[in-house]
């Protein structure tokens, strides 16, 4: 695979680092061994190290002359999954696994850090941002709240994720929304419990909840502009304990995905209105808790052009997919893009066969792309801080 000069030679070390991290997978905000490993490598490379932001976050600062600053971000965390790969370097930590390739992301950024510290063909400052808790817990948001960009100001920030559905040696990137905003909801429907044989003595929370599941599906079809994309999914229903009692309560939970802030607003208000109205129609009450998790991941135009040009330099224009369809998955790098212009790119990691998907217990990062990803980071710095 095409790589920058000198980076192919880093592959054995990057592979060792990646497999060490894989074997020592840690989950959100618990990445202590991982953070210590990253900090130790950065110090070996002669890079200034700052630990403790968001607990287990690590920032490495590399200065070379006068110029602007650029932020490169990798994520440190694994997932609460029991690994089933059977690999010699499978997770030694029961129930914790690098099933999203963040071990590979960290290894690629470490490889780039080492190369940049040696070659220094740029003018300015590189902030290597190793963030905890990308999965579910919003480690990027916590780093920002704790002063990431005040302590380590950058003009632009860049992120990357491996993409098994795309062949290794490819990139894909688009300006504007690339990944969705992710929200969750919990609706408690309260009726009046009674004998299952005499429903007329109560108000049935189960029938109200069932009606609500169907009616919530009208949000996307009736409340959202047909030209906008959105997902409303009820993913849990909890009610009842036995076969002859109508319970007093039913609880529904689910997730909402959107790309535009206005659509997000509209869905939150429609969900509340429909829940309360549908419950009332069945003699019940609905209490709605709507929680906003990650915003949409929105790439800035100029930084996307830079990222795409760098990717084309590495793998050739034919292997860089411009304007791929966005995905309804989400990503907490979105918080960084809310406050600093930047670009999040997908790097193909498919092996040309049936690859286990991200978050599968059979997933394993494709080490063949380590030099490709590290080359992208190096060239991005050399171009952005020319
Ligand atoms: Ni991930």
């Amino acid at each position: 695979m095409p790589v920058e000069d000198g980076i192919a030679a880093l592959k054995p070390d990057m592979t060792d680092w990646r497999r060490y991290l894989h074997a020592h997978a840690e989950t959100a905000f618990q990445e202590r061994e991982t953070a210590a490993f990253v900090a130790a490598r950065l110090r070996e490379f002669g890079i200034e190290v700052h630990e403790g932001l968001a607990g287990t976050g690590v920032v490495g600062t590399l200065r070379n002359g006068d110029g602007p600053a650029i932020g490169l971000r990798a994520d440190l965390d694994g997932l609460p999954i029991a690994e089933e790969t059977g690999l010699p370097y499978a997770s030694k930590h029961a129930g914790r696994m690098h099933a999203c390739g963040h071990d590979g992301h960290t290894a690629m950024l470490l490889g780039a850090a080492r190369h940049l510290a040696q070659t220094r063909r740029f003018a300015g400052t590189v902030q290597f941002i190793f963030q905890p808790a990308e999965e579910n817990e919003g480690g990027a948001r916590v780093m920002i709240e704790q002063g990431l960009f005040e302590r380590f100001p950058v003009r632009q920030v860049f992120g990357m994720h491996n993409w098994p559905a795309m062949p290794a040696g490819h990139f894909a990137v688009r300006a504007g929304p690339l990944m969705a905003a992710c929200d969750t909801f919990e609706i408690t429907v309260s009726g009046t419990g009674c004998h299952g044989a005499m429903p007329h003595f109560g108000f049935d929370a189960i029938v109200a909840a069932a009606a609500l599941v169907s009616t919530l599906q009208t949000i996307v079809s009736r409340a959202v502009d047909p030209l906008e994309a959105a997902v409303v999914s009820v993913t849990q229903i909890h009610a009842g304990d036995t076969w002859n009692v109508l319970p007093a309560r039913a609880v529904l939970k689910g997730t909402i995905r959107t790309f535009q802030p206005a659509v997000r607003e509209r869905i939150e208000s429609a969900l509340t209105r429909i829940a309360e109205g549908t419950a009332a129609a069945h003699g019940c009450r609905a209490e709605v808790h709507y929680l906003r998790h990650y915003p949409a991941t929105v790439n800035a135009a100029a930084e996307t052009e830079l990222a795409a040009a760098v990717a084309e330099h590495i793998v050739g224009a034919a292997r860089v997919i411009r304007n791929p369809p966005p995905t309804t998955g989400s990503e907490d790098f979105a918080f960084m893009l809310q406050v600093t212009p930047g670009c999040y790119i997908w790097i193909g990691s498919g092996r040309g066969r049936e690859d286990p998907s991200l978050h599968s217990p059979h997933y394993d990062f494709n080490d063949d792309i380590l030099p490709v990803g590290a080359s992208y980071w190096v060239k991005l710095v050399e171009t952005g801080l020319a």
Side-chain angles (χ1 to χ4, degrees):
M1 255 177 271
V3 296
E4 285 292 276
D5 285 349
I7 291 183
L10 292 178
K11 191 186 176 196
D13 280 349
M14 286 193 285
T15 303
D16 287 348
W17 302 336
R18 205 284 291 181
R19 293 180 178 187
Y20 174 87
L21 295 169
H22 190 89
H24 298 84
E26 298 168 298
T27 50
F29 295 122
Q30 308 298 315
E31 307 94 336
R32 292 184 197 90
E33 284 179 68
T34 307
F37 181 87
V38 166
R41 297 292 81 70
L42 292 172
R43 284 195 184 97
E44 280 173 12
F45 310 154
I47 291 174
E48 185 183 310
V49 175
H50 308 268
E51 292 175 89
L53 206 62
T56 45
V58 179
V59 179
T61 302
L62 180 62
R63 292 189 187 84
N64 197 57
D66 290 331
I70 194 170
L72 312 181
R73 171 273 207 175
D75 33 18
L76 298 171
D77 57 323
L79 283 152
I81 292 175
E83 180 159 355
E84 294 177 25
T85 63
L87 290 164
Y89 51 88
S91 178
K92 298 181 199 297
H93 295 166
R96 288 172 284 167
M97 175 190 177
H98 272 295
C100 201
H102 300 183
D103 48 351
H105 303 163
T106 298
M108 290 191 288
L109 191 54
L110 282 174
R114 178 155 117 187
H115 189 79
L116 287 163
Q118 285 168 350
T119 54
R120 294 176 177 263
R121 290 192 292 254
F122 64 93
T125 301
V126 187
Q127 303 289 4
F128 301 96
I129 304 167
F130 294 87
Q131 73 144 87
E134 190 285 319
E135 304 283 356
N136 299 323
E137 304 297 328
R141 176 179 51 74
V142 179
M143 282 188 103
I144 293 165
E145 286 169 359
Q146 295 187 6
L148 173 66
F149 292 128
E150 285 78 38
R151 286 179 64 190
F152 310 100
V154 295
R155 184 177 64 174
Q156 300 157 309
V157 67
F158 295 87
M160 172 158 54
H161 206 293
N162 79 101
W163 216 244
M166 186 165 59
H170 287 63
F171 287 91
V173 70
R174 65 177 289 138
L178 182 68
M179 301 184 75
C182 169
D183 298 336
T184 59
F185 63 84
E186 178 173 332
I187 303 170
T188 303
V189 178
S190 299
T192 307
C194 63
H195 199 300
M198 295 164 234
H200 54 296
F201 288 128
F203 288 100
D204 189 345
I206 287 185
V207 168
L212 185 49
V213 172
S214 298
T215 313
L216 288 175
Q217 288 310 311
T218 65
I219 293 176
V220 172
S221 67
R222 302 292 89 177
V224 172
D225 181 334
L227 299 182
E228 298 286 358
V231 179
V232 175
S233 289
V234 175
T235 55
Q236 298 181 54
I237 307 177
H238 302 279
D241 297 301
T242 187
W243 51 271
N244 60 352
V245 174
L246 290 174
R249 247 178 311 282
V251 177
L252 310 180
K253 299 183 188 183
T255 187
I256 308 281
R257 304 299 167 109
T258 54
F259 294 94
Q260 299 295 338
V263 175
R264 197 181 195 188
E265 297 282 346
R266 201 167 169 82
I267 289 183
E268 181 174 355
S269 78
L271 182 110
T272 306
R273 172 170 49 79
I274 289 171
E276 291 174 355
T278 305
H282 291 81
C284 299
R285 280 178 300 107
E287 195 181 324
V288 179
H289 289 287
Y290 191 97
L291 199 59
R292 293 182 172 214
H293 289 269
Y294 295 176
T297 302
V298 182
N299 286 332
E303 283 70 20
T304 302
E305 271 314 301
L306 172 62
V310 167
E312 287 181 354
H313 173 89
I314 304 295
V315 297
R319 292 194 172 126
V320 177
I321 301 159
R322 301 273 197 135
N323 299 312
T327 165
T328 46
S330 59
E331 160 63 54
D332 91 335
F333 186 66
F335 288 111
M336 297 196 186
L337 290 176
Q338 275 192 323
V339 292
T340 305
C343 179
Y344 184 80
I345 196 167
W346 290 330
I347 178 171
S349 58
R351 295 171 173 91
R353 50 179 163 84
E354 276 299 297
D355 281 295
S357 65
L358 300 172
H359 296 204
S360 158
H362 299 283
Y363 170 88
D364 184 42
F365 184 86
N366 181 357
D367 288 324
D368 286 344
I369 70 164
L370 289 166
V372 183
S375 295
Y376 168 79
W377 285 134
V378 167
K379 193 67 191 170
L380 189 66
V381 170
E382 293 176 353
T383 310
L385 303 181

